[in-house]
């Protein structure tokens, strides 16, 4: 029974010393002198703000993508003891002593270093030689642009790391099962889905696989490529929303319900409000669209001009607008058309979907009205006003039907913050809508509100929600004005579910458009391929030391050549194979195609989408695509050596040329390493680095 104790327990392990050495050297190249310069470098001024908000648990929205990268940067700050107190307002500003510079930059640098062994393993999993895999890793190691981007508090190295990790994980999964019987990362994920689909399609034609085996393969791919990624993606947002529970400057673009779920801000204002809107309720109505800015339904004593500048006439009724600030003139009273009272009865009579109401402006006591008069700036829509009886043939038309857009049933009660409602005019079927246009001076540049003829769909400009709410108690106007100026008191919880908050935040990330501005170092996607542009990341205030985002010129040129060679050879092989001429063995052809799916496909999906994007572009956006192109270089070299160099002499000459070429890569790396690591340089040395006239190398005039 205890016979197993007679023999020692032995654990054996295979250690790839080349891989270990590459990892160590990669860590040294990315982590050496990481706290230098101790100043804000380029986009650290942007991402640092988010790190500070994480440290202070303040909610924010960034349209650059999912929050994982931001959370990893914040994790570095947390591990370094950063309290979030630093003013991120200027590139080049010296960091204060409370900012753990090395800790903040550590995780991007670590991710950049780990891309080197990942490149090696990807080529190994693609069934290429150790020499080709080593070449790919060395090219990533010696790529100046990747070094620069990974040594600062920036996201690209983290993005590239996870992209390569996703590719490697799928290749290992595919190779494992084959022997036994993935925002910019989104495009790589889609590529992997396509490749997985192609692999499964080929399996369907394999008569050696049983139906049960095919189902297992399908379920395994569904689990690894759909269920697990979706669950992981949701978990990032769950942590993000759990950490950021305090109100901040960015929550203004979110709905009232979302804002009310945050500590402080709107939650402080709305805490204690009654939930159900009743006849006699005093409410403010916020437009759900939030564009061009958040605003509330508003009126004031001023009237529309009798005639506009273009000669069109108006009703000369009281103006109704959408006002982007909190104001007592934003308050309205929900009135029962069949009763005169403007207070809530006891018990309150709630307003439900489909009920007819009148909206009385709290301060002026005039009724919300629309009629067949053209709106001031939107002549195809109806004017919305508060009705003034001029004793002319223009009767009041002030009945509105409440339609709850997000109702669960046709008997739903109109709820504060939670209900999104449309107001449909009973007489004309027009819908109360924010046009978004700014009124002239007579309207104080406030936003135009119109009556839009009923149309299909529920555009957010037609949807409103109650933000502030109280049960009115004062029937007399003077007492009511005092009541409208006072805060609410009653208690009600308005916490949103995680999925509701996730859905809203995800939609904001996808649709939010920051105002694009021209930048000194912005560029077009066409400039990237030949590296006709650069970015000055940092400049020492006194010495000639500076850091630039510049690539290894030899590597970039070689990557372009490799892509052209691969494309031309592939077309040649396809044409020849169509004519039943097979220049290379079938296994070599499958290897060649697989490499193209990963490397050329990775370059395409990480580069071509930028031609469709309306955003300010920079050279660093090209780095994920460049990484795939670099992986293609040793693949093409091995293919040329194995299949085009037939004689021993040609192989020897090709090897010699490869060594000479790699020496030029090392030379270019060493030449540009001073502006990669920020080493002091003289004016003459800086001028020598301007290999292209389009490069903006900063050269200061020195006094005599």
């Amino acid at each position: 029974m205890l016979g197993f104790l007679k023999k020692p327990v032995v654990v054996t392990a295979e250690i790839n010393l080349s891989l270990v050495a590459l990892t160590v050297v990669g860590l040294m190249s990315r982590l050496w002198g990481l706290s230098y310069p101790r100043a804000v470098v380029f986009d650290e001024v942007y991402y640092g703000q988010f790190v500070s908000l994480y440290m202070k648990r303040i909610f924010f929205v960034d349209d650059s993508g999912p929050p994982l990268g931001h959370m990893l940067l914040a994790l570095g700050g947390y591990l370094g003891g950063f309290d979030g107190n630093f003013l991120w307002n200027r590139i080049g500003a010296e960091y204060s002593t409370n900012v753990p510079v090395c800790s903040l930059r550590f995780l991007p640098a670590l991710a950049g270093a780990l891309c080197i062994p990942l490149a090696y393993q990807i080529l190994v999993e693609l069934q290429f030689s150790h020499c080709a895999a080593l070449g790919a890793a060395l090219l990533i190691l010696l790529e100046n642009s990747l070094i620069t981007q990974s040594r600062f508090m920036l996201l690209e190295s983290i993005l590239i790391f996870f992209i390569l990790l996703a590719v490697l994980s799928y290749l290992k999964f595919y190779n494992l099962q084959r022997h036994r019987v993935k925002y910019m990362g989104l495009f790589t994920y889609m590529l992997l889905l396509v490749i997985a689909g192609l692999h499964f399609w080929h399996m369907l034609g394999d008569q050696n696989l049983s139906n049960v085996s095919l189902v297992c393969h399908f379920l395994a791919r569904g689990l690894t490529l759909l269920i697990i990624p979706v669950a992981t993606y949701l978990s990032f947002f769950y942590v993000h929303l759990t950490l950021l529970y305090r109100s901040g400057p960015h929550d203004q673009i979110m709905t009232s319900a979302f804002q009310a779920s945050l500590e402080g801000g709107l939650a402080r204002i709305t805490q204690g409000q009654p939930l159900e809107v009743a006849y006699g309720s005093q409410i403010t109505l916020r437009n759900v669209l939030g564009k061009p800015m958040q605003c509330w339904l508003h009126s004031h004593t001023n009237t529309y001009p009798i005639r506009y500048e273009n000669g069109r006439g108006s009703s000369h009724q009281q103006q109704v607008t959408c006002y982007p600030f909190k104001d007592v003139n934003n308050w309205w009273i929900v009135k029962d058309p069949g009763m005169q009272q403007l207070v809530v009865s006891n018990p309150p009579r709630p307003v439900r979907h489909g009920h007819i109401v009148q909206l009385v402006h709290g301060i002026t006591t005039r009724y919300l009205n629309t009629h067949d008069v053209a709106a001031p700036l939107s002549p195809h829509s109806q004017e919305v006003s508060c009705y003034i009886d001029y004793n002319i043939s223009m009767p009041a038309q002030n009945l509105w039907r409440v339609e709850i857009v997000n109702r669960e049933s046709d008997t739903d009660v109109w709820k504060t913050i939670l209900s999104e409602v449309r107001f449909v005019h009973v007489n004309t079927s027009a819908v109360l809508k924010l046009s978004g246009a700014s009124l002239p001076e007579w309207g104080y540049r406030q936003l135009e509100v119109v009556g839009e003829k009923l149309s299909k769909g529920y555009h957010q400009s037609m949807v409103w929600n109650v933000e502030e709410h109280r049960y009115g108690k004062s029937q007399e106007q003077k007492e009511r004005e005092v009541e409208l100026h006072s805060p609410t008191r009653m208690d009600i919880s308005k916490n949103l579910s995680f999925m509701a908050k996730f859905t809203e935040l995800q939609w904001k990330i996808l649709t939010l458009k920051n105002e694009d501005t021209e930048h000194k170092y912005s560029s077009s996607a066409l400039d990237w391929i030949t590296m006709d542009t650069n970015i000055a990341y940092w400049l020492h205030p006194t010495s000639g030391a500076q850091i630039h985002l510049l690539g290894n010129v030899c590597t970039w040129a070689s990557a372009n050549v490799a892509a052209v060679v691969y494309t031309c050879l592939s077309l040649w092989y396809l044409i020849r194979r169509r004519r039943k001429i097979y220049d290379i063995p079938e296994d070599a052809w499958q290897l060649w195609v697989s490499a193209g799916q990963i490397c050329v496909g990775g370059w395409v999906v990480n580069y071509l989408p930028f031609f469709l994007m309306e955003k300010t572009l920079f050279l660093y956006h090209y780095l994920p695509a460049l990484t795939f192109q670099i992986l293609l270089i040793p693949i093409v070299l091995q293919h040329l050596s194995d299949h085009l160099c037939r004689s021993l002499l040609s192989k020897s000459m090709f090897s010699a040329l490869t060594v000479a070429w790699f020496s030029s890569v090392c030379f270019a790396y060493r030449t540009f390493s001073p502006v990669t690591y920020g080493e002091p340089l003289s004016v003459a040395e800086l001028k020598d680095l301007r290999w292209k006239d389009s490069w903006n190398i900063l050269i200061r005039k020195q006094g005599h």
Side-chain angles (χ1 to χ4, degrees):
M1 183 176 178
L2 299 178
F4 70 94
L5 294 177
K6 295 179 180 180
K7 294 183 179 180
V9 177
V10 178
V11 176
T12 60
E14 291 184 0
I15 299 176
N16 188 329
L17 295 180
S18 298
L19 192 59
V20 172
L22 285 169
T23 305
V24 171
V25 176
L27 289 169
M28 292 172 59
S29 69
R30 270 62 174 177
L31 296 176
W32 176 80
L34 198 58
S35 60
Y36 174 83
R38 194 175 173 81
V40 179
V41 175
F42 202 64
D43 271 356
E44 286 187 335
V45 74
Y46 176 72
Y47 292 113
Q49 298 176 44
F50 299 133
V51 173
S52 287
L53 291 173
Y54 268 117
M55 296 301 104
K56 298 179 179 182
R57 304 294 190 266
I58 295 175
F59 175 78
F60 68 85
V61 179
D62 180 33
D63 65 344
S64 63
L68 175 60
H70 300 78
M71 288 194 294
L72 289 175
L73 296 180
L75 176 61
Y78 174 78
L79 295 176
F82 183 40
D83 56 10
N85 292 320
F86 183 77
L87 189 60
W88 307 89
N89 63 348
R90 181 172 60 86
I91 297 173
E94 291 289 326
Y95 282 121
S96 54
T97 55
N98 69 306
V99 181
V101 180
C102 190
S103 179
L104 286 168
R105 294 173 177 170
F106 175 76
L107 288 177
L110 178 63
L114 293 179
C115 288
I116 297 166
L118 285 178
Y120 177 93
Q121 291 180 287
I122 285 173
L123 260 71
V124 169
E125 293 297 328
L126 283 171
Q127 311 303 316
F128 285 90
S129 67
H130 162 76
C131 187
L134 185 63
L138 290 174
L139 289 173
I140 299 294
L141 172 68
L142 300 175
E143 176 47 49
N144 299 71
S145 60
L146 295 178
I147 297 173
T148 301
Q149 199 68 18
S150 64
R151 286 174 50 80
F152 302 106
M153 190 174 46
L154 308 171
L155 290 183
E156 277 64 36
S157 63
I158 296 174
L159 172 64
I160 294 171
F161 167 76
F162 281 110
I163 286 175
L164 295 182
L165 183 62
V167 171
L168 177 62
S169 299
Y170 178 73
L171 288 175
K172 282 188 173 291
F173 164 78
Y174 174 70
N175 288 334
L176 181 65
Q177 59 83 25
R178 184 179 66 174
H179 293 313
R180 290 187 175 180
V181 195
K182 31 178 171 0
Y183 316 21
M184 292 307 299
L186 173 65
F187 296 114
T188 306
Y189 173 67
M190 297 301 294
L191 172 66
L192 292 180
L193 287 179
V194 171
I195 294 174
L198 290 173
H199 287 165
F200 187 73
W201 181 256
H202 289 305
M203 284 183 177
L204 289 175
D206 190 347
Q207 298 297 325
N208 296 321
L209 293 176
S210 65
N211 291 336
V212 174
S213 180
L214 285 172
V215 170
C216 290
H217 280 295
F218 179 79
L219 293 176
R221 280 161 174 76
L223 177 67
T224 56
L225 290 174
L226 290 175
I227 297 176
I228 293 177
V230 169
T232 304
Y233 186 77
L234 288 172
S235 69
F236 297 153
F237 278 90
Y238 183 83
V239 175
H240 176 76
L241 291 169
T242 302
L243 290 174
L244 306 182
Y245 60 87
R246 290 176 178 155
S247 173
H250 289 195
D251 58 343
Q252 299 290 326
I253 65 173
M254 309 304 289
T255 63
S256 299
F258 195 106
Q259 293 183 51
S261 71
L262 300 172
E263 181 182 294
L266 182 61
R268 186 170 52 199
I269 297 173
T270 59
Q271 183 179 9
Q273 294 187 154
L275 175 62
E276 296 184 347
V277 177
Y279 291 108
S281 285
Q282 299 170 357
I283 62 174
T284 64
L285 289 165
R286 180 181 187 264
N287 190 266
V288 170
L289 180 62
K291 294 178 182 180
M293 61 191 74
Q294 64 167 354
C295 62
W296 293 263
L297 190 67
H298 175 94
S299 187
H300 40 240
T301 55
N302 303 71
T303 59
Y304 291 110
I306 295 177
R307 289 206 173 273
Y308 301 123
E309 291 181 356
N310 60 8
R312 287 193 299 110
S314 79
S315 66
H316 199 46
Q317 300 282 334
Q318 182 172 302
Q319 296 175 17
V320 172
T321 65
C322 204
Y323 189 51
F325 301 99
K326 302 281 187 180
D327 189 87
V328 70
N329 279 313
N330 298 345
W331 284 93
W332 300 80
I333 301 170
V334 181
K335 180 182 175 297
D336 184 345
M339 303 180 68
Q340 291 301 314
Q341 68 180 41
L342 297 178
V343 296
V344 176
S345 60
N346 189 15
R349 292 186 300 123
V351 181
R352 299 181 182 274
H353 170 76
H355 280 193
I356 307 299
V357 301
Q358 293 170 311
L359 294 176
V360 183
H361 188 237
I363 296 298
T364 65
T365 66
R366 293 197 169 109
Y367 289 58
L368 187 71
N369 186 84
T370 187
H371 41 210
D372 192 18
V373 176
L377 301 180
S378 306
H380 298 293
S381 300
Q382 292 181 180
E383 174 193 88
V384 175
S385 63
C386 278
Y387 182 74
I388 302 175
D389 188 1
Y390 289 118
N391 199 23
I392 58 176
S393 57
M394 187 179 287
Q397 299 182 41
N398 52 31
L399 299 179
W400 300 86
R401 184 172 66 254
V402 176
E403 291 189 354
I404 303 175
V405 176
N406 59 341
R407 65 186 180 275
E408 294 181 358
S409 72
D410 288 342
T411 59
D412 272 13
V413 175
W414 183 7
K415 294 184 177 66
T416 306
I417 291 181
L418 301 178
S419 294
E420 296 182 347
V421 302
R422 297 195 317 166
F423 296 98
V424 181
H425 192 238
V426 173
N427 298 72
T428 64
S429 297
V431 181
L432 190 69
K433 176 185 176 182
L434 170 67
S435 76
S438 294
L439 295 169
E441 288 295 333
W442 54 258
Y444 304 101
R445 302 293 179 186
Q446 295 173 18
L447 301 179
E448 181 190 43
V449 173
V450 301
E452 185 77 9
K453 288 291 186 179
L454 187 60
S455 58
K456 294 181 179 179
Y458 298 103
H459 191 268
Q460 287 186 319
S461 60
M462 300 179 179
V463 182
W464 306 79
N465 70 270
V466 174
E467 190 170 270
E468 297 179 74
H469 177 210
R470 65 167 63 85
Y471 282 164
K473 299 178 181 178
S474 304
Q475 185 69 32
E476 295 296 324
Q477 176 61 13
K478 288 186 177 180
E479 294 178 1
R480 191 161 54 243
E481 287 185 19
V482 174
E483 191 175 46
L484 290 171
H485 282 87
S486 64
T488 56
R489 292 283 189 269
M490 296 177 66
D491 292 328
I492 189 69
S493 173
K494 299 178 183 66
N495 290 327
L496 285 181
S497 67
F498 161 69
M499 285 306 299
K501 294 175 74 173
F502 162 76
T503 303
E504 181 176 342
L505 179 56
Q506 180 67 84
W507 179 249
K508 289 295 181 183
I509 290 174
L510 293 174
T511 59
L512 180 65
K513 286 187 178 181
N514 287 327
E515 186 176 344
D516 290 333
T517 56
E518 283 297 319
H519 192 282
K520 181 179 180 180
Y521 292 106
S522 62
S523 55
S524 71
L526 287 174
D527 296 329
W528 303 341
I529 296 179
T530 53
M531 202 167 59
D532 287 334
T533 182
N534 72 303
I535 305 177
Y537 271 9
W538 173 80
L539 174 66
H540 193 277
T542 56
S543 72
Q546 48 191 276
I547 295 175
H548 287 257
L549 183 66
L550 267 175
N552 187 311
V553 178
C554 186
T555 302
W556 284 53
S558 303
N560 291 329
V561 172
V564 171
V565 170
Y566 182 90
T567 303
C568 293
L569 273 177
S570 297
L571 290 174
W572 173 255
Y573 288 149
L574 283 171
I575 293 171
R576 301 267 288 176
R577 289 173 70 86
R578 184 66 176 171
R579 297 182 60 81
K580 307 300 182 183
I581 303 172
Y582 303 97
D583 298 288
I584 57 176
E586 185 62 25
D587 58 344
W589 168 250
Q590 293 299 330
L591 195 64
W592 183 251
V593 171
S594 298
Q597 289 175 339
I598 296 295
C599 299
V600 178
W603 178 81
V604 167
V605 300
N606 285 284
Y607 176 57
L608 295 187
F610 285 108
F611 288 96
L612 306 176
M613 294 183 182
E614 296 180 0
K615 61 182 291 185
T616 305
L617 301 177
F618 296 92
L619 181 62
Y620 56 72
H621 286 127
Y622 186 59
L623 297 183
L626 173 70
T627 303
F628 281 100
Q629 214 178 11
I630 291 175
L631 297 181
L632 191 62
I633 298 174
I635 290 173
V636 170
L637 289 175
Q638 179 178 328
H639 184 83
L640 294 176
S641 176
D642 291 349
H643 301 289
L644 271 71
C645 298
R646 306 299 175 106
S647 66
L648 183 61
L649 178 61
S650 61
K651 286 183 179 291
S652 299
M653 291 180 63
F654 186 81
S655 298
L657 289 173
T658 302
V659 171
W661 162 79
F662 186 73
S663 299
S664 67
V665 172
C666 296
F667 172 77
Y669 160 75
R670 186 65 194 96
T671 300
F672 290 98
S673 61
V675 291
T676 299
Y677 292 98
E679 301 171 10
L681 293 172
S682 65
V683 172
E685 289 172 323
L686 287 170
K687 288 181 177 179
D688 289 340
L689 289 178
R690 187 178 284 169
W691 286 18
K692 289 190 175 186
D693 293 335
S694 57
W695 290 356
N696 190 3
I697 304 295
L698 305 176
I699 300 174
R700 285 193 172 137
K701 294 181 180 179
Q702 295 183 338
H704 298 283

